[in-house]
Amino acid sequence: MIVRALVAACAFAAVPALANGTNVPPPAAPVAETETDALVRTAFDAPKRISYVGQLQTIRWGNRIANATIQRIEHLAPGRTRRTFLAPEALYGEYDVTVGETTTKIDPRDHRAMVEQNPASENSTATNTSLSLLEANYRAILGPVEVVAARPATTVALVNKYTGERIMKLWIDNDTKIVLAKEAYHADGSLAWRTRFDDIRFTSEIPPDIFSLDTPPGFQSIAGRHFANSTVDEGHALDEAGFKPVIPHYLPNGFSEVGADVATIRTVRNLHVIYSDGIRGLSLFENDTDESANFDGLRPATTHFAGHEATYVRDGPTTLLAWHDHGLAFALVGDLDIRELTQIAISVEP
Amino acid sequence: MHYDLETIDDYLHGELDEAHDAAVHAHLETCVPCRAAYDENATIRDWIRAAADAEEREFPGQISARVWETVRAAKPGPFAFLRTGWRPLVGLPVAAALAFALYVGHPFAHGGPQPGIAASDLLLEHDAQMADNPLADHGMVVPASFVDSTQPTSALIEAVDTTSASDASDGR
């Protein structure tokens, strides 16, 4: 532990020197691990202060295939972002603009615009909760400086304190603290998803007009989704459900409830309880229709636990497990593998 | 005695009965020409499989789900069918396509649309609630072009905002 702390301290102290391109050895001052936490905390908030224009690559790995996108991103701090898809070809030219809770998605080929509302995208309380959970459940370990998008970036591994597994690695820009790249890993160490800037330029001189949420003239306006506003008042959401809800007795170490809501999805009223460990999210959906989730267009598989037949599917790094029991339909969705989801499902006992 | 190519091909694809399969298996152990023919066929089969695997592509789950949603919603008009049906070259494929569309789109063909909530909606709802965490996976993409514009949004998701009631109950 002492050795690791010293290594981390030296690496952290070396960052400014490397960033300036000098060979001066860093002073051997002891740096507590909390400084790495502070770096991550600063990176959390950096987009609220820093504007940029860049090209971002995302890859999500599933069981057999990977999905990739390339997006040009214009971000004007604190809260205006425009993403234009460059790849895959089917999405080329489409873009979306997010300001606060509202996102307008533009399809230039079919001249359509869709407006979505998502309160979660502007929920600073929830963001702080995520940060607190991150610090409680993960050890931030400083790594060497690496170059991303031609800029020196400090690497930070986020290691789960309970399992010792590295769940995420960040590349944080030395000057601005913007996260230039992220990699998330499954429990077995395999890569789950990755985002990485191929190119980035920090500037606040971005024409504000490009962040307009208005439907362009001549475009058909389609009402998009209005996602639920989750609340930390679980009791109230449980009361709103309209049936006697059930919650799991078991959660993986570090996971806590961070919100709950009741949403009507395709005419079915659902209780949605949200859990997180600071990086990974978990959702429990339940309703009293006794109707199974349908998996049209997906590739589901069947599993069995505690006398139940359940169906599950993976969408990139996310797994969905659905079953029903005692007249209630359940679905767990999370950045966890099927083994972990099954353990949670077993503990959901009506 | 040598087996013909058809028999060797059937053996390769496991289509012979048990006794015949055993006989060909034993023969291939000792007959060089038949073994060569078998190996050649096996190589061709592997090439075809490799080519098929190389060509295999898959939409992201969300997009695939939307495509199916649109297919289910398709209601080909009877006149369009008749008009197209006059053309012999396209009549057969159109009939096949229409039969498929009716199978997946007509409520009486196979018990109607699949009941329950679409799994893709649950994935989206989960993804949306993770938006407040900068470290969460935000790679799920559902662009405007993949949303069926004929479907009223209220049928997709209506959120019940519990915040105001929550404010009232806890005095915030």
Side-chain angles (χ1 to χ4, degrees):
Chain A
M1 180 67 192
I2 294 170
V3 173
R4 190 170 56 217
L6 284 173
V7 169
C10 291
F12 185 77
V15 169
L18 288 171
N20 294 331
T22 64
N23 291 320
V24 179
V31 180
E33 207 166 40
T34 51
E35 291 195 34
T36 313
D37 293 339
L39 176 63
V40 174
R41 203 177 306 125
T42 309
F44 242 66
D45 282 335
K48 292 177 187 159
R49 297 178 287 101
I50 307 290
S51 302
Y52 56 84
V53 177
Q55 186 166 303
L56 182 77
Q57 186 187 98
T58 71
I59 304 177
R60 304 171 85 231
W61 279 269
N63 266 344
R64 299 184 308 114
I65 57 160
N67 301 318
T69 65
I70 298 177
Q71 311 159 15
R72 187 174 72 239
I73 296 190
E74 283 120 344
H75 174 74
L76 193 57
R80 286 186 277 183
T81 308
R82 174 175 163 138
R83 304 186 305 173
T84 307
F85 290 95
L86 306 177
E89 191 181 358
L91 303 186
Y92 183 79
E94 292 199 31
Y95 67 90
D96 56 47
V97 177
T98 301
V99 178
E101 297 180 4
T102 307
T103 296
T104 301
K105 297 180 171 184
I106 305 291
D107 170 14
R109 260 173 307 191
D110 294 331
H111 289 78
R112 305 195 310 170
M114 188 175 71
V115 181
E116 281 183 357
Q117 298 286 339
N118 184 8
S121 57
E122 188 71 351
N123 190 339
S124 58
T125 307
T127 303
N128 289 336
T129 304
S130 296
L131 189 53
S132 302
L133 285 170
L134 179 72
E135 290 175 348
N137 295 320
Y138 287 89
R139 197 167 53 240
I141 299 174
L142 212 58
V145 171
E146 295 178 7
V147 174
V148 178
R151 298 181 62 86
T154 302
T155 54
V156 176
L158 299 171
V159 176
N160 190 292
K161 287 180 180 175
Y162 301 97
T163 63
E165 292 156 353
R166 182 183 65 172
I167 296 297
M168 181 166 278
K169 185 176 176 183
L170 305 173
W171 283 258
I172 301 173
D173 185 65
N174 281 356
D175 287 341
T176 63
K177 310 308 178 203
I178 288 284
V179 176
L180 297 178
K182 281 182 282 191
E183 280 184 357
Y185 309 94
H186 293 297
D188 64 1
S190 62
L191 202 48
W193 54 267
R194 181 175 82 188
T195 67
R196 190 179 188 89
F197 278 100
D198 295 327
D199 171 52
I200 192 165
R201 187 165 55 87
F202 294 99
T203 175
S204 55
E205 298 197 0
I206 307 170
D209 292 352
I210 69 166
F211 300 104
S212 170
L213 291 170
D214 297 340
T215 300
F219 276 56
Q220 180 195 4
S221 186
I222 308 165
R225 292 165 188 263
H226 286 231
F227 291 102
N229 191 0
S230 68
T231 166
V232 289
D233 183 359
E234 177 202 330
H236 184 75
L238 298 184
D239 291 343
E240 283 281 304
F243 55 89
K244 190 182 173 191
V246 190
I247 55 173
H249 302 305
Y250 162 79
L251 289 172
N253 281 330
F255 274 82
S256 300
E257 188 197 317
V258 293
D261 61 63
V262 178
T264 302
I265 305 174
R266 292 184 192 271
T267 73
V268 179
R269 194 173 173 81
N270 270 267
L271 172 68
H272 179 190
V273 189
I274 306 145
Y275 305 89
S276 173
D277 73 346
I279 295 179
R280 298 171 297 178
L282 174 70
S283 288
L284 170 66
F285 296 92
E286 56 187 276
N287 65 65
D288 62 352
T289 64
D290 201 19
E291 282 186 356
S292 305
N294 80 64
F295 290 80
D296 287 358
L298 303 171
R299 294 185 176 207
T302 302
T303 185
H304 295 85
F305 64 86
H308 301 298
E309 183 176 279
T311 310
Y312 70 95
V313 69
R314 275 185 64 178
D315 184 75
T318 307
T319 308
L320 184 154
L321 173 70
W323 75 102
H324 46 293
D325 189 8
H326 284 80
L328 295 176
F330 296 97
L332 279 169
V333 184
D335 309 326
L336 298 167
D337 64 25
I338 186 61
R339 185 182 52 81
E340 290 170 302
L341 284 187
T342 303
Q343 284 182 338
I344 299 166
I346 289 170
S347 77
V348 179
E349 295 174 299
Chain B
M1 186 236 16
H2 299 297
Y3 284 108
D4 58 30
L5 282 177
E6 194 176 346
T7 305
I8 289 174
D9 201 43
D10 287 346
Y11 169 75
L12 181 65
H13 293 96
E15 290 173 3
L16 298 177
D17 61 66
E18 202 171 324
H20 206 175
D21 189 81
V24 175
H25 178 78
H27 179 78
L28 288 177
E29 291 296 312
T30 56
C31 178
V32 174
C34 286
R35 182 77 207 179
Y38 169 83
D39 287 343
E40 191 177 336
N41 263 13
T43 303
I44 292 169
R45 178 199 60 185
D46 292 344
W47 283 346
I48 292 169
R49 278 187 183 169
D53 288 345
E55 287 299 312
E56 189 176 12
R57 294 289 183 271
E58 192 171 290
F59 275 130
Q62 293 296 313
I63 294 174
S64 177
R66 297 292 158 206
V67 170
W68 275 101
E69 203 169 74
T70 307
V71 168
R72 281 202 308 279
K75 292 174 183 170
F79 299 113
F81 168 72
L82 289 172
R83 193 167 52 245
T84 315
W86 287 114
R87 294 155 58 188
L89 279 176
V90 295
L92 187 61
V94 165
L98 189 58
F100 177 73
L102 282 171
Y103 175 75
V104 298
H106 196 283
F108 303 110
H110 59 120
Q114 292 298 304
I117 302 165
S120 55
D121 285 333
L122 300 180
L123 289 164
L124 267 186
E125 189 75 17
H126 167 76
D127 187 60
Q129 293 300 339
M130 297 298 117
D132 55 49
N133 185 346
L135 298 186
D137 168 28
H138 300 297
M140 200 174 279
V141 174
V142 183
S145 58
F146 286 98
V147 175
D148 178 10
S149 62
T150 62
Q151 181 127 27
T153 308
S154 56
L156 292 172
I157 287 191
E158 291 172 337
V160 177
D161 186 349
T162 58
T163 307
S164 53
S166 166
D167 289 346
S169 65
D170 61 16
R172 277 181 283 153

